[in-house]
Amino acid sequence: MEDARQTWRVAETVTGRVLRVLAAFSAERPELGLTELSRRAHLPLSTTHRLVGELSEWGALERGTDGRYRVGLRLWEVGALAPRGLGLRESAMPFLEDLYEVTRQNVQLAVLDGTDVVFVERISGRGAVNVITRVGGRLPLHATGVGLVLLAYAPPELQEQVLASPLKRYTERTMCDPDELRRALAEVRRTGVAVSDRQIELISLSVAAPVRGVQDEVVAALSVVVPAETSDARAYVPVVRAAARGISRVLGAPEPRRR
């Protein structure tokens, strides 16, 4: 995550300063001391101390025995009420659980947010291949199975924005050529499924399919992540499609034959 100064360009209001304190935390830095919080939020130490005290009293932050702060459960409870994630997760969970029972691998549900994919749910077992994703985490659209699905059905303006921007390389197999990515998106639309083979990590591949809403629009993407060396992606396509269609049906999407 970029530092708070780059991430939050807001006016110097109380709300803006609070957001800068919260934005100082990241997956790489989930716990911060007061001085580090002040530095990453680009706020005076006295201001940071006052804001952190108020946030801790409300439950948005928690202070550990070592004096370092982390995001509190109260903030997580509020975030979980986001309507796009809440209703979707509740509708999807039975199908995610069924898909996990069949595969015993990582099962993920994600939505589009800007030019990123945000993971709203993940089920994983002890024997599943290691993945870097987490609930609430973000990854770029071009390098993930769910991202390819969401980008393939995104508005043309967003597709062109992503194609014109620098595409981050994670492994030697990451698609960083715009023409190659354009062809991959066309293939996703043709087949209704995306396979991301060792694009994020060389040990894994993902198979993903779209989840549709009432207007037949793609509202999310579902994927299973499996070991690249020992898995045939084609074997997972039917079960991933079935799970995605099941969620779509619960969300009120039209039957596939009507599309």
Side-chain angles (χ1 to χ4, degrees):
M1 179 183 288
E2 296 176 311
D3 65 28
R5 179 173 55 187
Q6 294 172 321
T7 305
W8 299 97
R9 299 187 182 278
V10 293
E12 283 299 316
T13 62
V14 173
T15 302
R17 290 191 288 268
V18 168
L19 293 175
R20 286 166 65 177
V21 169
L22 296 176
F25 295 92
S26 68
E28 296 75 24
R29 298 176 182 272
E31 295 188 359
L32 298 168
L34 188 62
T35 301
E36 194 174 10
L37 260 174
S38 173
R39 177 178 59 80
R40 287 176 60 83
H42 300 278
L43 292 171
L45 187 60
S46 58
T47 301
T48 306
H49 182 269
R50 176 176 57 81
L51 294 175
V52 165
E54 294 175 359
L55 287 167
S56 299
E57 184 177 354
W58 185 74
L61 295 179
E62 296 176 352
R63 188 172 186 267
T65 56
D66 59 356
R68 296 168 66 81
Y69 293 89
R70 58 181 177 266
V71 174
L73 285 176
R74 183 75 179 275
L75 194 62
W76 180 86
E77 291 172 355
V78 173
L81 296 175
R84 185 157 59 126
L86 181 62
L88 177 63
R89 288 173 65 241
E90 289 179 343
S91 299
M93 186 56 69
F95 300 94
L96 299 180
E97 292 173 343
D98 286 347
L99 184 56
Y100 170 73
E101 290 298 325
V102 170
T103 63
R104 289 291 170 172
Q105 293 294 337
N106 300 281
V107 175
Q108 304 178 140
L109 184 68
V111 296
L112 179 68
D113 187 36
T115 57
D116 292 331
V117 55
V118 176
F119 295 89
V120 297
E121 189 56 83
R122 181 167 77 90
I123 302 177
S124 181
R126 183 175 299 176
V129 65
N130 181 61
V131 294
I132 65 172
T133 56
R134 61 180 178 83
V135 174
R138 293 173 176 265
L139 281 174
L141 294 167
H142 71 283
T144 61
V146 287
L148 290 172
V149 167
L150 294 169
L151 184 58
Y153 295 98
E157 298 80 13
L158 178 59
Q159 293 182 19
E160 294 305 320
Q161 179 184 348
V162 172
L163 288 163
S165 64
L167 301 174
K168 181 177 179 179
R169 183 176 296 280
Y170 290 86
T171 73
E172 63 264 28
R173 298 183 66 93
T174 305
M175 277 190 292
C176 296
D177 177 67
D179 291 333
E180 181 186 8
L181 180 56
R182 196 183 298 275
R183 290 191 296 270
L185 297 178
E187 183 68 7
V188 172
R189 289 189 292 270
R190 185 183 72 82
T191 63
V193 68
V195 176
S196 179
D197 188 0
R198 292 168 279 187
Q199 289 208 84
I200 292 290
E201 294 184 287
L202 290 174
I203 62 173
S204 61
L205 64 83
S206 65
V207 180
V211 173
R212 296 177 179 270
V214 175
Q215 302 300 321
D216 207 28
E217 77 283 18
V218 173
V219 297
L222 167 73
S223 73
V224 60
V225 184
V226 300
E229 289 296 326
T230 59
S231 301
D232 180 358
R234 293 170 298 181
Y236 292 92
V237 169
V239 290
V240 171
R241 276 180 173 160
R245 287 172 178 169
I247 301 170
S248 300
R249 186 168 57 251
V250 172
L251 293 176
E255 289 298 321
R257 63 179 179 272
R258 294 170 55 191
R259 293 185 189 128

